[in-house]
Amino acid sequence: MNKSNTTKRVNPVANNKPLESKIKSNGFSDKAAGFGRDLLKIVRYVIFFSLMVLRVPLTFVSHIAIGLSFIIIPVAYFVDAPNKVIYFMLGFDVVLFGLMWFYDSLLFAVSPEKIILGGDAGRYN
């Protein structure tokens, strides 16, 4: 077997240089990339805090609506209202609960920093 015909495999880290130095820049400097990251973080903060401000009245209104529907359900049962009313109010509660759950998960997804739930925050450092 002739060694000149065999293909040589190239190891990107063969000369002990980091892989980042082998990747060519697309014309953007590190300063521009840093500016883009900072701009994205600012936008995430603005979105996150505006959603947090809107969360207060939304949770207040949803808790009032859920509380009123849980008062209406037994009243509708004892007044012999049609079952449609009871099922509608139960469905309304489930949908409202699901929307608030989705809103909170959206807050977690948009948050610019890691959010730790619970009292053992020091454990994760």
Side-chain angles (χ1 to χ4, degrees):
M1 183 168 179
N2 190 358
K3 285 192 175 190
S4 63
N5 292 338
T6 60
T7 37
K8 236 182 181 181
R9 293 192 181 195
V10 178
N11 187 358
V13 197
N15 55 3
N16 295 328
K17 288 185 180 177
L19 188 59
E20 291 85 22
S21 66
K22 296 189 182 304
I23 299 173
K24 291 186 179 179
S25 159
N26 290 333
F28 292 107
S29 66
D30 290 336
K31 196 174 194 181
F35 176 72
R37 272 192 301 272
D38 293 342
L39 186 64
L40 180 65
K41 198 166 191 175
I42 289 171
V43 168
R44 287 181 78 175
Y45 268 109
V46 168
I47 291 171
F48 177 73
F49 283 118
S50 61
L51 287 175
M52 281 297 289
V53 167
L54 287 175
R55 186 182 184 275
V56 174
L58 286 176
T59 54
F60 179 74
V61 169
S62 68
H63 287 166
I64 294 294
I66 288 173
L68 286 175
S69 70
F70 274 122
I71 291 172
I72 292 172
I73 288 172
V75 170
Y77 178 76
F78 287 116
V79 176
D80 289 333
N83 287 340
K84 289 181 183 180
V85 173
I86 297 171
Y87 292 142
F88 175 77
M89 295 311 282
L90 285 173
F92 177 74
D93 289 343
V94 169
V95 167
L96 206 51
F97 176 77
L99 285 175
M100 292 311 296
W101 187 300
F102 174 74
Y103 193 82
D104 287 340
S105 65
L106 181 69
L107 277 172
F108 276 114
V110 174
S111 69
E113 296 179 5
K114 187 168 83 171
I115 297 176
I116 298 173
L117 297 177
D120 294 334
R123 184 176 69 182
Y124 298 107
N125 291 334

